[in-house]
Amino acid sequence: MKVKGTFIYTLKTGENALILLTESKTDQDKLYHHLTVDAYQFKKEIVEEEPRIVLISAGYKNENDEIIWNQDYIPVPKWYDLN
């Protein structure tokens, strides 16, 4: 599975979520699962490089070029938890 793009989505609460885009729904599901059970180092690097990101998820573009993503957002570690 390859990440084909990203975008930052601001929730109504003001929190920012980084959405990683894959090629298909199947790849989106695989990536989302990986982000929930593993990928600690990746999430740690996100918070170190871009501290305004507090959530992460996976998505894809459908056949109509619409972006669909899992809205059960995964929290990234807080920068102050890393110290």
Side-chain angles (χ1 to χ4, degrees), residues 28-55:
Q28 175 213 352
D29 291 340
K30 288 178 186 176
L31 178 57
Y32 183 84
H33 177 73
H34 177 68
L35 291 169
T36 59
V37 299
D38 197 8
Y40 178 77
Q41 183 62 33
F42 176 72
K43 292 184 274 189
K44 183 180 170 202
E45 288 176 19
I46 289 172
V47 77
E48 289 173 349
E49 295 298 320
E50 190 56 67
R52 66 188 178 117
I53 301 295
V54 296
L55 303 164

Side-chain angles (χ1 to χ4, degrees), residues 64-78:
N64 297 324
D65 215 27
E66 299 168 322
I67 298 175
I68 310 295
W69 70 93
N70 190 322
Q71 295 183 8
D72 290 330
Y73 301 102
I74 303 162
V76 296
K78 305 286 188 242

Side-chain angles (χ1 to χ4, degrees), residues 2-18:
K2 292 183 181 180
V3 173
K4 302 299 270 184
T6 63
F7 74 96
I8 295 174
Y9 179 74
T10 303
L11 282 69
K12 291 179 183 177
T13 61
E15 295 173 307
N16 290 319
L18 176 65

